[in-house]
């Protein structure tokens, strides 16, 4: 048997609308702000070598130590192997490690600030 539904028949089935609840506006979320480290400029950069390279020089760093603090252009071309990289702050280099390759790290002005094997 089929019965017909009318609005009068369904009034008990429909829940009454909930009364509006007064709420305070949501406060802005609080986020932790990282402390900003002071930016070092080129005057604060000190010459360095990778600690592992001091123990195990696999690429001939000793030949380049006299050029720390000098311009990379002052290094005689015959001293620089074909596999060497002169790396500036804006250089893009691959992440592969070649133990026999010397990386000569410089500031933007070409001053040698570090030496690393790899």
């Amino acid at each position: 048997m089929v019965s017909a539904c009318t609005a009068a028949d369904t009034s008990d089935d429909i829940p009454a609308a909930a009364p509006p609840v007064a709420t305070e506006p949501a406060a802005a979320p609080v986020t932790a702000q990282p402390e900003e480290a002071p930016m070092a400029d080129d005057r604060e950069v000190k010459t360095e070598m990778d600690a592992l390279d001091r123990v195990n020089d696999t690429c001939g760093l000793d030949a380049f130590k006299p050029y720390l603090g000098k311009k990379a252009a002052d290094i005689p071309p015959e001293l620089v192997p074909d596999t060497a990289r002169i790396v500036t702050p804006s250089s893009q280099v691959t992440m592969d490690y070649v133990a026999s390759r010397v990386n000569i790290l410089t500031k933007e002005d070409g001053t040698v600030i570090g030496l690393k094997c790899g």
Side-chain angles (χ1 to χ4, degrees), residues 8-113:
D9 294 338
T10 59
S11 62
D12 292 335
D13 296 337
I14 299 174
V21 176
T23 60
E24 295 182 25
V30 178
T31 56
Q33 297 295 326
E35 292 184 31
E36 291 189 27
M39 296 295 289
D41 62 9
D42 286 346
R43 292 171 291 182
E44 297 175 12
V45 176
K46 295 185 174 42
T47 58
E48 64 180 46
M49 285 180 43
D50 190 302
L52 292 175
D53 294 329
R54 288 186 211 147
V55 175
N56 190 12
D57 180 2
T58 59
C59 63
L61 290 178
D62 284 338
F64 297 96
K65 287 180 184 177
Y67 298 98
L68 282 168
K70 297 181 179 164
K71 300 288 184 184
D74 295 340
I75 302 172
E78 62 274 5
L79 184 63
V80 181
D82 292 337
T83 59
R85 297 192 290 198
I86 297 179
V87 182
T88 67
S90 60
S91 294
Q92 294 183 5
V93 295
T94 60
M95 297 299 292
D96 61 322
Y97 184 84
V98 178
S100 61
R101 176 174 52 206
V102 65
N103 293 290
I104 302 168
L105 311 176
T106 69
K107 295 192 287 187
E108 285 294 341
D109 69 358
T111 302
V112 178
I113 59 170

